[in-house]
Amino acid sequence: MTGKILVILLIGFLAFAYQAIKPPPPKICGSPGGPPITAPRIKLSDGRHLAYKEQGVPKDEAKYKIVFIHGFDCCRHDVVIASTLSHDVIESLGIYIVSFDRPGYGESDPHPQRTPKSLALDVEELADQLKLGSKFYVTGFSMGGQAVWGCLKYIPHRLAGAGLLAPVAGIWWPGFPANLTGKSYYDMPAPDLWTVRVAHYLPWLTYWWNTQKFFPSSSVAAHSPDIFSTQDRQLAPRFDASQEPYRAQIRQQGEFESIHRDMIIGIKTWEFDPMDLEDPFPNNEGSVHIWQGDEDGLVPVVLQRYVAERLPWVRYHELKGSGHMFPYADGMGDKIMRTFLLGETFVL
């Protein structure tokens, strides 16, 4: 009798544990009971839908056509390069920008098999369906900046230029020396250290870890001010105010296929090392830029400096006294675009 009771208790515990670690199914936009579709979308070759947003001059009149990739816990509306980009610069340079919801965010269908390569191919297909031409520019912020490395790896022949704004650097990229990544790893706040460990070593526990109430989890997902620099604290209200009208849309299909999937992909061991990439513009027909704040509490500046040393063809711009949110500073969009598109010297 005792043995039977123990077996029943074990089965009950395993069932409870399975339910706790299993993420709920996503609420697909346009499906019964799911969020409504409000944005224009394209249908990709694999049947998924990608929601997008266009701004700037009409694309058939544009001189510079840019695909923008948003960051963690954001969506197509979070176009940081446009937030401080003046109308005069947009019109005088002829800038067109299309942003899109990365899979699982906003109104783009989730993609459980998403990889850096699949996202780069999504960018290419978006550009083709919108008829942006044989070449276009790509820029990204934070985890969207990290995604630009996938474009440089898998679709370099389609790029006219690439801009990475505070791109997340993977501490498991093989090209980083162990002492450098080790310091960056252990300098993380304890909640983020454990979140990174779970997402890298036990990705199947990512949903449980980020929803359980026993231990603090990701301070990034919680938007904790503890990781912000002085400048970030000054600029955060601008970011919060800009997201207020659409914040509920960002995770509306579920947290697992949006922010948790982002964690898993950004932190896992990739199929390539960005520091092994070759210059995509050997004849100076384009350029690759990285902008990085030296007081960034989310992306260690020491990692970005090392990337710039390993890839001398990258034009590295380090912003003194700046944090992660520097693109929201007054006039920053104009300065970044003039450097990125015209080759002007970047002056903070």
Side-chain angles (χ1 to χ4, degrees):
M1 181 64 69
T2 302
K4 291 181 179 179
I5 292 174
L6 290 175
V7 169
I8 292 172
L9 290 175
L10 177 61
I11 293 173
F13 171 77
L14 292 175
F16 172 79
Y18 176 74
Q19 290 299 320
I21 66 175
K22 181 184 178 184
K27 298 178 181 179
I28 308 296
C29 285
S31 66
I37 298 170
T38 64
R41 306 199 303 176
I42 63 166
K43 188 174 183 179
L44 299 167
S45 57
D46 63 2
R48 290 181 294 114
H49 294 88
L50 211 63
Y52 65 92
K53 176 182 179 180
E54 298 172 289
Q55 54 187 302
V57 303
K59 63 173 175 275
D60 57 348
E61 301 175 10
K63 182 177 182 181
Y64 300 103
K65 299 172 185 178
I66 303 172
V67 178
F68 180 80
I69 308 175
H70 68 76
F72 178 82
D73 205 9
C74 295
C75 68
R76 67 189 182 279
H77 298 297
D78 294 297
V79 187
V80 296
I81 57 169
S83 62
T84 56
L85 185 59
S86 69
H87 179 74
D88 287 345
V89 170
I90 291 174
E91 291 292 328
S92 63
L93 297 188
I95 297 174
Y96 160 89
I97 303 172
V98 59
S99 54
F100 65 98
D101 291 330
R102 290 193 284 117
Y105 281 106
E107 297 182 28
S108 288
D109 293 340
H111 188 199
Q113 289 77 44
R114 177 158 63 100
T115 65
K117 182 177 183 178
S118 73
L119 186 60
L121 297 181
D122 286 353
V123 168
E124 182 178 36
E125 194 165 351
L126 174 68
D128 286 342
Q129 291 204 33
L130 294 182
K131 296 180 170 56
L132 300 191
S134 60
K135 288 186 179 289
F136 51 88
Y137 294 83
V138 62
T139 62
F141 171 60
S142 194
M143 292 200 85
Q146 186 189 57
V148 173
W149 290 118
C151 295
L152 290 166
K153 167 67 175 177
Y154 296 109
I155 58 168
H157 57 289
R158 300 300 308 275
L159 304 183
L164 299 83
L165 309 176
V168 174
I171 59 175
W172 277 280
W173 292 352
F176 282 128
N179 63 323
L180 197 63
T181 54
K183 184 179 186 306
S184 300
Y185 182 67
Y186 289 107
D187 280 349
M188 293 181 191
D192 294 313
L193 179 60
W194 281 102
T195 298
V196 166
R197 284 171 172 163
V198 169
H200 184 75
Y201 294 109
L202 303 168
W204 49 274
L205 273 181
T206 300
Y207 171 76
W208 173 81
W209 176 257
N210 285 281
T211 55
Q212 53 79 32
K213 306 300 182 185
F214 303 106
F215 310 100
S217 54
S218 171
S219 58
V220 180
H223 299 274
S224 171
D226 295 342
I227 56 176
F228 285 170
S229 70
T230 300
Q231 186 199 53
D232 288 335
R233 290 188 175 93
Q234 295 169 349
L235 297 176
R238 297 186 184 184
F239 173 72
D240 292 338
S242 69
Q243 275 200 340
E244 184 62 33
Y246 54 84
R247 184 171 292 122
Q249 297 179 23
I250 295 173
R251 308 182 190 183
Q252 66 181 351
Q253 298 186 88
E255 292 190 1
F256 183 72
E257 287 298 342
S258 54
I259 62 172
H260 299 164
R261 180 72 63 191
D262 245 8
M263 293 178 188
I264 294 170
I265 293 172
I267 294 168
K268 73 173 187 176
T269 301
W270 282 10
E271 60 266 29
F272 73 96
D273 184 348
M275 284 175 280
D276 289 337
L277 295 177
E278 297 181 355
D279 186 354
F281 308 112
N283 300 315
N284 295 317
E285 66 272 31
S287 57
V288 179
H289 297 254
I290 292 178
W291 283 268
Q292 173 70 35
D294 69 345
E295 295 182 5
D296 193 327
L298 283 77
V299 181
V301 67
V302 293
L303 297 184
Q304 222 69 275
R305 289 170 181 165
Y306 188 83
V307 172
E309 290 175 6
R310 283 285 304 271
L311 302 176
W313 43 268
V314 169
R315 303 182 187 183
Y316 178 63
H317 313 280
E318 188 169 304
L319 287 66
K320 186 174 179 58
S322 297
H324 197 67
M325 307 297 289
F326 71 84
Y328 288 93
D330 291 336
M332 191 59 67
D334 287 359
K335 294 176 182 178
I336 289 173
M337 285 296 101
R338 287 187 175 280
T339 298
F340 183 42
L341 302 176
L342 302 180
E344 294 183 2
T345 301
F346 182 82
V347 180
L348 184 59

